[in-house]
Amino acid sequence: MEYNKKFQHDFMKRTLSIVDEYKGPYDATILINCLLGLLVLPKEALIDKIPIYPYEELAQWGINPKSIKRFGRCDYGHEHTPNLRQLVKRLRNAVAHFNVEPLHLDGEVSGFSFKDRNGFRAELSLDELREFVGKLAMHLKQETD
């Protein structure tokens, strides 16, 4: 395997392929690994490429706004304006610091709980995560074209 000169573009493309093509017993693990790569690896270079869609429009990215239990506060005590870019930052913090816990339903992983030190808390189903990871990978891939 080789990456071309557009590493970020190839990374997003390959992540999207993994999310689209993998069908197996480790889908929850694959989703978290893909999310980790999409949120942490390109954060510095691509965070400004994430749109500032309002909280109410998160469903367009696969996230039910009701799944966000609390957006939390910033370090300076001001409330964040809930939006897609803030969600990406909060999920990045949760994943990077491994503040992720599985949610179970009938003995199976049904989703994950995400928390960060600023009070953010979300409970996302596997379906929400799958759609969000796919849309985020597609968006970032297009931004790196």
Side-chain angles (χ1 to χ4, degrees):
M1 174 177 73
E2 181 66 42
Y3 283 104
N4 69 24
K5 292 181 181 179
K6 293 182 101 180
F7 171 70
Q8 290 175 336
H9 179 270
D10 277 0
F11 183 84
M12 303 309 156
K13 182 179 173 184
R14 291 175 187 191
T15 300
L16 188 58
S17 292
I18 291 168
V19 171
D20 287 343
E21 296 170 12
Y22 181 81
K23 306 291 183 239
Y26 304 116
D27 61 332
T29 302
I30 292 291
L31 282 172
I32 293 297
N33 282 320
C34 289
L35 190 61
L36 178 65
L38 288 172
L39 295 176
V40 177
L41 186 64
K43 182 215 177 239
E44 299 304 324
L46 297 175
I47 193 65
D48 291 337
K49 305 289 186 195
I50 305 293
I52 304 176
Y53 286 136
Y55 177 77
E56 296 78 22
E57 295 180 25
L58 291 180
Q60 294 176 19
W61 285 75
I63 305 290
N64 181 339
K66 291 181 181 179
S67 296
I68 310 302
K69 306 304 180 188
R70 187 163 176 233
F71 250 92
R73 296 185 164 284
C74 70
D75 289 333
Y76 305 107
H78 304 345
E79 288 291 335
H80 282 297
T81 303
N83 60 54
L84 179 64
R85 189 177 294 172
Q86 286 298 327
L87 175 63
V88 168
K89 288 179 180 181
R90 295 307 194 179
L91 287 173
R92 180 251 172 237
N93 292 345
V95 172
H97 298 285
F98 212 68
N99 288 321
V100 177
E101 294 288 331
L103 301 172
H104 300 277
L105 181 65
D106 299 326
E108 296 285 325
V109 174
S110 61
F112 290 92
S113 170
F114 299 86
K115 298 176 185 176
D116 79 1
R117 67 183 178 97
N118 296 317
F120 171 79
R121 193 168 143 260
E123 294 179 359
L124 305 179
S125 71
L126 291 181
D127 289 338
E128 286 176 296
L129 276 174
R130 193 173 290 109
E131 187 173 349
F132 177 70
V133 167
K135 288 184 181 218
L136 183 62
M138 179 63 74
H139 176 79
L140 292 174
K141 178 184 164 292
Q142 291 171 346
E143 290 294 324
T144 58
D145 278 343

